[in-house]
Amino acid sequence: MASLACADNSDSVFEEALHAARNDDWNGLAQAQKRLSDDHPLQAYLEFHRLRAALPDLSPQRVVEYGERYPDSPLPDDIRQHALVAYAKESRWRDVLKVYDRAPRGTELRCYYLRAQWENGDKGVLPQVRELWLSGSSRPSSCDPLFEAARDQGVIGEQEIWERLLLAFDQGATGLMSYLADMQSGADATAGEWLGRLHRDPERLRELPEGIGDERREQLLSAALRRLAYTDTVRARELFEQESANLGLKDPALRERAAERIAWYSTIRGIEENRQWLDGWLANNGSADTLDQRARRSVIEQRWDELPDWVARLPAAARDDSRWQYWLGRAAEENGDDEAARAHWGRAAGQRNFYGFLAAERLGQAPVFSNASPATDDSAPTQPGLARVALLREIDEPQLAWDEWNWMLWHSSEGQRRKLAQHALQQGWYDLVVQASIQARAWNVLAWRFPAAHRDLFVNAARRHDLDPWLSMAVARRESAFYPHARSPVGAQGLMQLMPGTARKVARDAGQTPPDARQVMDPDINVALGTRYLAELLERFNGNRVLALAAYNAGPHRVDDWLAEEEDAVPADVWIESIPFYETREYVQAVLTYRVLFQGLHGNREQLVLLRPDERGTPYSLAMMD
């Protein structure tokens, strides 16, 4: 492992050098590097930026040599990607193949690489181009020359254009549909035009003109019914039952695709008008997902007598899972068979998850943790990247440290990953230990999966708002896995994944200056604001954690309508299973489960409670299902 001895005196110098390199300040970089030792563990980062700035004129040999010099780093992969794009944009196709000997990951890079092969005379790449073409979403512009070549060579023809149109139709990619329709000619052009019309108004399926051809007609009819299943599920079922065969939809596979979509939306929307048809069709058809939703519908409607029959149709692995064992127990209880109920709950209670813990509470038992020892030897991990991770974290470069860490995990054995996980725990690198536990598949080593990350921070923040610190810690574990610089696709930031607008509002309400984007990533600020926001939601929903957590994920405005008067109430467990948004449903279950784990692992293991009596007794509404 590289020595850390130089770190104490050179951190600020390296930060100065890295800042200069990122901003192409080569004079500033040269001055800073004079004060750094040649063997500084992070020298590779400075050289990376010199190479990056020299592109596209940089010799590919320099790129190759850089990779040979730093074989234990993620940086050679990064500079190869930069070089590939730079060379491709300059049409230096031979140089592309000098820095890559196989197609890289990522569609844009792969298209550049395949084009380099094509430009260098390799005609065998066109079947791979056809695979890239067959996508319902748009492809990067780097793929366009390849698609043109494949069309010129007849590898992409009318059939491939039509197949992609159908894929785009199912994904609702209307812009791509228009683009593809312009490529068509003859009868296929007519079919393409009608596919667009049917996406806008699927009931026009009865207006399909003659001359399209039987195959295209059936595909159009099936597509229209799938679209109509979304826009008007009852009408889709009526047309499927009463008119589809006469209109020409006879192919068994296409009929099944249409019926499956009608069944899916009939199930998740609970459409009574379609129930007789749905249950009749599902008697001999239906995917595992649709059957799962049909069993879930029985739970939502508390039709306990029919639930066991639907669960029995699920695959064995699903039937044995704690979720369905729990609900079979509930059904048995409601049907007056307490012995069977306890048997089902006993099987569920052996599993470490929401429904396993819920079953344990039904039985009056403690939750089963199945906690395993880390079971690593006493030797320390020796990867050179560890020194770089430590230094990068010290100088507040978490993304670079994260990249180094993941590169080490991907290039390590399972035993090495376990050592890295234990090392990260000892160093207090909580986000990295969670990531290592996943890569090591150490599902039962709870010390790694649920470390008491930033415990003092959460405890102090929770104390200010009379809040359970294990709850806010569980929220952070679910939201960001304790990575302070996490950023979601929609812009949520930090440990507890606050949206910038929410962070500003919470700060203003507290009489504080709203944080800027960088400050939101500071754990002290983020946890303080996130905990305050969680406390506000709990106050809004009378301390009910189920509702507050649903609001934290889906937004409080949605949850305001999810309450009911006493006569409209459903039990808490039914309500949680009924949450229409899969993400929110899983979120509520996960956070409540994580809270029990955190308390049991790091706090008072007595009286672990998943759902409090007041939460069980709250009148929850199924109005949200509308």
Side-chain angles (χ1 to χ4, degrees):
M1 185 185 302
S3 172
L4 295 177
C6 61
D8 293 340
N9 298 322
S10 61
D11 281 2
S12 60
V13 178
F14 177 80
E15 289 183 81
E16 179 185 335
L18 184 60
H19 177 78
R22 283 171 168 164
N23 291 278
D24 297 344
D25 177 8
W26 308 119
N27 181 59
L29 173 61
Q31 294 300 315
Q33 280 195 290
K34 291 178 181 178
R35 291 177 281 152
L36 283 175
S37 63
D38 293 337
D39 62 348
H40 190 281
L42 301 180
Q43 279 285 1
Y45 286 87
L46 305 180
E47 186 174 347
F48 169 87
H49 284 288
R50 289 189 182 278
L51 297 180
R52 183 264 308 160
L55 290 167
D57 299 326
L58 185 71
S59 162
Q61 184 59 33
R62 293 278 304 281
V63 177
V64 173
E65 290 173 351
Y66 182 81
E68 293 171 347
R69 192 155 54 253
Y70 302 108
D72 59 350
S73 166
L75 292 174
D77 288 340
D78 292 344
I79 198 62
R80 275 194 292 269
Q81 291 181 19
H82 281 282
L84 184 152
V85 173
Y87 294 155
K89 289 182 177 179
E90 295 291 320
S91 298
R92 291 171 55 179
W93 303 114
R94 291 188 182 278
D95 287 345
V96 167
L97 299 182
K98 289 178 182 178
V99 297
Y100 273 99
D101 58 4
R102 63 175 65 90
R105 296 178 180 177
T107 303
E108 179 184 22
L109 298 178
R110 187 179 176 197
C111 281
Y112 278 138
Y113 179 81
L114 292 177
R115 186 178 176 193
Q117 290 183 301
W118 169 259
E119 297 288 352
N120 282 287
D122 185 352
K123 309 302 180 185
V125 303
L126 293 184
Q128 297 180 61
V129 175
R130 183 181 182 277
E131 293 176 12
L132 285 166
W133 168 264
L134 292 174
S135 168
S137 57
S138 295
R139 292 304 201 183
S141 59
S142 61
C143 301
D144 291 345
L146 285 171
F147 293 156
E148 292 176 11
R151 291 186 67 194
D152 290 342
Q153 296 294 315
V155 175
I156 294 176
E158 292 291 336
Q159 179 62 26
E160 285 72 26
I161 295 171
W162 175 251
E163 289 180 23
R164 193 175 183 196
L165 258 170
L166 291 173
L167 293 171
F169 179 95
D170 284 333
Q171 291 196 22
T174 54
L176 178 59
M177 289 175 64
S178 298
Y179 168 76
L180 294 169
D182 290 342
M183 297 182 180
Q184 295 182 297
S185 60
D188 271 352
T190 302
E193 290 173 5
W194 269 96
L195 192 64
R197 292 175 186 143
L198 291 172
H199 192 275
R200 292 187 293 273
D201 184 2
E203 284 212 57
R204 295 190 66 183
L205 57 84
R206 290 181 291 180
E207 302 174 20
L208 290 177
E210 300 296 329
I212 289 180
D214 291 344
E215 181 181 359
R216 294 288 187 264
R217 174 180 293 275
E218 291 200 70
Q219 290 171 324
L220 286 168
L221 288 167
S222 181
L225 286 168
R226 297 197 303 275
R227 175 67 175 162
L228 191 58
Y230 174 74
T231 60
D232 188 340
T233 313
V234 172
R235 185 64 177 146
R237 188 264 305 164
E238 292 173 346
L239 287 174
F240 180 79
E241 275 193 300
Q242 300 166 12
E243 300 187 44
S244 61
N246 291 335
L247 289 171
L249 181 57
K250 299 178 180 179
D251 180 88
L254 289 173
R255 287 186 65 81
E256 184 171 357
R257 282 195 69 192
E260 176 71 29
R261 296 314 292 164
I262 297 169
W264 173 263
Y265 285 111
S266 297
T267 304
I268 66 173
R269 291 172 175 170
I271 298 176
E272 280 293 334
E273 292 173 82
N274 286 6
R275 185 63 57 86
Q276 184 176 355
W277 170 84
L278 171 66
D279 289 355
W281 187 80
L282 285 176
N284 300 300
N285 303 279
S287 66
D289 286 342
T290 303
L291 289 168
D292 182 274
Q293 289 295 330
R294 181 61 186 87
R296 179 171 169 261
R297 172 57 49 186
S298 295
V299 172
I300 293 169
E301 296 174 357
Q302 301 184 76
R303 297 188 181 185
W304 305 113
D305 57 331
E306 69 177 30
L307 176 63
D309 291 337
W310 288 113
V311 175
R313 302 184 191 196
L314 297 174
R319 293 196 304 269
D320 294 338
D321 185 73
S322 62
R323 176 184 174 216
W324 287 118
Q325 286 299 312
Y326 174 81
W327 287 119
L328 286 172
R330 285 281 278 115
E333 179 189 49
E334 296 290 341
N335 293 327
D337 191 343
D338 290 342
E339 183 178 349
R342 293 185 66 84
H344 285 299
W345 288 334
R347 287 189 283 273
Q351 300 180 41
R352 187 187 59 238
N353 52 38
F354 177 77
Y355 283 111
F357 288 1
L358 206 55
E361 287 191 353
R362 289 274 177 177
L363 295 170
Q365 298 175 358
V368 174
F369 279 30
S370 302
N371 195 6
S373 167
T376 62
D377 59 43
D378 294 333
S379 61
T382 59
Q383 288 92 328
L386 277 175
R388 296 193 294 271
V389 170
L391 288 173
L392 289 167
R393 289 178 72 92
E394 286 178 14
I395 64 172
D396 196 25
E397 291 287 347
Q399 185 60 57
L400 297 182
W402 179 264
D403 293 342
E404 288 273 4
W405 184 253
N406 278 290
W407 195 96
M408 275 194 295
L409 292 174
W410 293 332
H411 293 82
S412 298
S413 66
E414 182 176 331
Q416 290 172 324
R417 289 169 181 164
R418 295 177 74 88
K419 284 188 179 183
L420 288 169
Q422 185 63 18
H423 180 78
L425 182 63
Q426 294 166 349
Q427 298 299 314
W429 300 343
Y430 301 116
D431 52 327
L432 302 189
V433 69
V434 172
Q435 182 69 5
S437 75
I438 295 170
Q439 293 292 330
R441 303 179 67 83
W443 311 126
N444 291 326
V445 184
L446 303 187
W448 296 343
R449 293 188 62 204
F450 300 98
H454 308 285
R455 179 170 180 167
D456 291 343
L457 195 59
F458 282 105
V459 168
N460 292 333
R463 186 180 295 121
R464 289 193 292 271
H465 304 290
D466 193 24
L467 184 69
D468 172 14
W470 305 120
L471 183 64
S472 51
M473 190 179 290
V475 169
R477 174 62 175 81
R478 177 66 177 188
E479 290 283 357
S480 63
F482 299 130
Y483 180 40
H485 287 251
R487 187 186 298 272
S488 79
V490 297
Q493 298 172 310
L495 293 181
M496 294 175 68
Q497 288 290 274
L498 290 173
M499 292 296 292
T502 302
R504 290 192 294 269
K505 181 181 183 303
V506 173
R508 283 194 296 267
D509 291 346
Q512 301 170 1
T513 302
D516 59 30
R518 185 171 181 83
Q519 289 172 324
V520 173
M521 296 294 193
D522 182 284
D524 289 342
I525 295 174
N526 190 283
V527 170
L529 293 175
T531 300
R532 181 182 178 90
Y533 180 55
L534 181 58
E536 289 176 357
L537 293 175
L538 283 163
E539 182 178 3
R540 180 170 180 166
F541 295 107
N542 298 315
N544 187 300
R545 298 172 305 165
V546 175
L547 297 171
L549 292 173
Y552 198 98
N553 179 262
H557 60 287
R558 296 186 190 275
V559 183
D560 282 335
D561 297 328
W562 293 358
L563 297 174
E565 298 301 326
E566 192 68 38
E567 62 269 16
D568 299 320
V570 299
D573 56 355
V574 172
W575 189 87
I576 292 171
E577 183 65 59
S578 305
I579 295 174
F581 307 122
Y582 173 82
E583 178 188 339
T584 304
R585 189 164 68 247
E586 293 291 302
Y587 182 89
V588 171
Q589 295 176 17
V591 173
L592 289 173
T593 303
Y594 291 176
R595 197 213 67 82
V596 171
L597 288 168
F598 277 118
Q599 181 186 343
L601 291 168
H602 307 292
N604 182 1
R605 187 143 188 184
E606 297 179 3
Q607 298 181 336
L608 296 176
V609 176
L610 188 71
L611 289 177
R612 299 192 310 254
D614 61 297
E615 291 164 340
R616 291 179 181 275
T618 294
Y620 300 92
S621 171
L622 289 184
M624 60 181 174
M625 297 304 296
D626 296 334

